[in-house]
């Protein structure tokens, strides 16, 4: 069966993200959780299973000089 597959990888500067109202951030998180709740693994239980039920975020430091490791991933 065909499905719609989402792949998001967004880097938003911390100052920009901090300026987003808390209610908006919560609404976005809740919408992602609603979609995640409907997601399934492709070919579940088979050798070619694909883990397609993942939504995480973390603090990234890749644009700093010197770079340092990213913060821990948090489930959404």
């Amino acid at each position: 069966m065909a499905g719609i597959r989402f792949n998001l990888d967004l880097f938003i500067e911390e100052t920009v993200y901090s300026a987003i109202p808390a209610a908006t951030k919560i609404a976005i998180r809740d919408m992602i959780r609603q979609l995640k709740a409907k997601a399934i693994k492709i070919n579940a239980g088979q050798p070619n299973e694909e883990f397609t039920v993942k939504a995480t975020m973390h603090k990234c430091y890749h644009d700093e000089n010197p770079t340092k490791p990213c913060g821990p991933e948090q489930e959404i």
Side-chain angles (χ1 to χ4, degrees):
M1 148 184 23
I4 305 302
R5 189 167 181 165
F6 294 88
N7 289 311
L8 298 174
D9 189 359
L10 308 172
F11 179 89
I12 301 169
E13 291 181 348
E14 189 170 19
T15 56
V16 173
Y17 184 76
S18 295
I20 297 172
T24 301
K25 289 188 248 189
I26 290 169
I28 291 167
R29 182 205 62 198
D30 290 349
M31 285 185 240
I32 292 170
R33 285 180 176 172
Q34 288 173 18
L35 285 172
K36 184 178 173 185
K38 296 181 184 311
I40 61 170
K41 291 180 182 179
I42 296 172
N43 299 320
Q46 298 179 27
N48 62 340
E49 177 179 281
E50 295 181 45
F51 187 67
T52 50
V53 184
K54 180 181 178 181
T56 62
M57 63 184 287
H58 68 275
K59 191 169 185 178
C60 180
Y61 298 98
H62 291 176
D63 67 335
E64 293 187 357
N65 191 7
T67 61
K68 57 185 177 182
C70 291
E73 284 192 344
Q74 297 176 278
E75 282 291 322
I76 298 177

